[in-house]
Amino acid sequence: MNAHTPIKRPLAVRLATPRGFCAGVDRAIQIVERAIEKFGAPIYVRHEIVHNKHVVDRLKAMGAVFVKDLDECPDDRPVVFSAHGVPKSVPATAQAREMLFLDATCPLVSKVHVEAERHHAAGRHILLIGHAGHPEVVGTMGQLPDGAITLIETVEDALRVQRPLSEDGGDQPLAYATQTTLSMDDTAEILKALKARFPELPDPHKEDICYATTNRQEAVKVLANGCDLVLVVGSPNSSNSVRLVEVALKAGAGDARLIDDASHVDWAWFEGVNTVGVTAGASAPEPLIQGLIAAIGERFETTMINDPGERETVTFKLPRALTA
């Protein structure tokens, strides 16, 4: 260092554990990669395989073609359904067209589909806590006939919803399910409002919010404590990434921001910041996190701190069509 080299200001960087890819996202991306390897390009993918621009762009470069609907797919090329799940009508249409299709739906989302069908078979009307238009919600509502599920987005919705009448004119029993990527705290508030009105409302057969969402939210709560700024790597259309920003702010972080990658950082955010926390949504790849850390290291004299947290060992099997 010579006399003209500016002295970097010290900055503590705390890394959340766990962060980034979950097992469902990893499986979905592998399905697309292996399909291209086995069947050649192009491979068609209905909707974004996961909600991350960098992942989608990389797969496009490998030969994946992302479409909004099966109508855009030729009959003679494989098609992959995204990790968020699809309505039942989609695989039914693919079968009718004799298409080769690979279902990359996260097994934990599929579990919610199974639970919804179980409640419907038992004669219950389902209250689905989630966000309108999110692919996972569209897929879950599409598992059952129209009118079998009512979407609850807010506490206000929970206070307004009316119990449907059963076929014999009596009150129809109720059940509920949740979008897997929601904030646990937000879900709890809505559920509290629902149970105040419908005390008999049963608990789900299993927890709907997935282990990866739970673990990342718990980790960011720990991270937020003592951080002047928390940066969440993830795309704006990633529900679980957006929730991490909200959780960080509620947990006491001085500030929290969602960024696609290091190029989206406004370095003015770092004014007065002594400790920055870094995490990533479940669809954000680790190289983006390392790129952010490197960019911070170019501007500050960093001290790295790895937060302890839940170690994830969950894996999901690939479809037999790709492993046989």
Side-chain angles (χ1 to χ4, degrees), residues 92-115:
T93 300
Q95 285 180 327
R97 290 174 56 184
E98 298 184 345
M99 302 175 74
L100 170 61
F101 62 90
L102 300 162
D103 190 355
T105 301
C106 173
L108 300 178
V109 174
S110 296
K111 175 182 71 68
V112 176
H113 293 178
V114 171
E115 288 297 301

Side-chain angles (χ1 to χ4, degrees), residues 108-296:
L108 300 178
V109 174
S110 296
K111 175 182 71 68
V112 176
H113 293 178
V114 171
E115 288 297 301
E117 290 187 300
R118 182 178 68 86
H119 288 309
H120 181 65
R124 303 183 186 106
H125 183 81
I126 299 160
L127 305 176
L128 175 62
I129 303 171
H131 296 305
H134 189 280
E136 183 184 328
V137 167
V138 173
T140 298
M141 296 188 75
Q143 300 304 303
L144 300 176
D146 289 346
I149 299 177
T150 298
L151 181 62
I152 307 294
E153 295 190 82
T154 63
V155 171
E156 289 71 28
D157 288 345
L159 295 174
R160 287 193 300 260
V161 67
Q162 297 299 312
R163 182 198 298 270
L165 295 177
S166 60
E167 291 182 2
D168 62 7
D171 288 343
Q172 187 172 3
L174 297 175
Y176 78 91
T178 70
Q179 181 181 328
T180 64
T181 54
L182 294 181
S183 160
M184 293 177 294
D185 294 336
D186 288 346
T187 302
E189 291 175 11
I190 293 172
L191 185 56
K192 182 179 179 181
L194 287 173
K195 287 203 169 187
R197 296 189 58 208
F198 311 112
E200 82 287 4
L201 200 64
D203 287 335
H205 181 59
K206 294 180 182 177
E207 183 62 50
D208 280 347
I209 294 177
C210 81
Y211 79 93
T213 298
T214 299
N215 290 346
R216 280 152 190 73
Q217 290 183 8
E218 289 301 315
V220 88
K221 287 179 182 178
V222 174
L223 187 74
N225 184 21
C227 282
D228 307 300
L229 170 67
V230 171
L231 296 178
V232 178
V233 180
S235 292
N237 61 338
S238 166
S239 177
N240 75 86
S241 299
V242 173
R243 300 287 87 73
L244 288 177
V245 174
E246 296 171 357
V247 171
L249 290 170
K250 287 183 180 179
D255 192 9
R257 306 279 180 161
L258 178 67
I259 57 169
D260 251 326
D261 55 45
S263 69
H264 289 79
V265 173
D266 181 347
W267 297 102
W269 298 338
F270 283 73
E271 185 175 348
V273 169
N274 295 310
T275 302
V276 60
V278 174
T279 189
S283 50
E286 182 67 20
L288 297 183
I289 303 164
Q290 296 306 318
L292 172 61
I293 293 169
I296 295 173

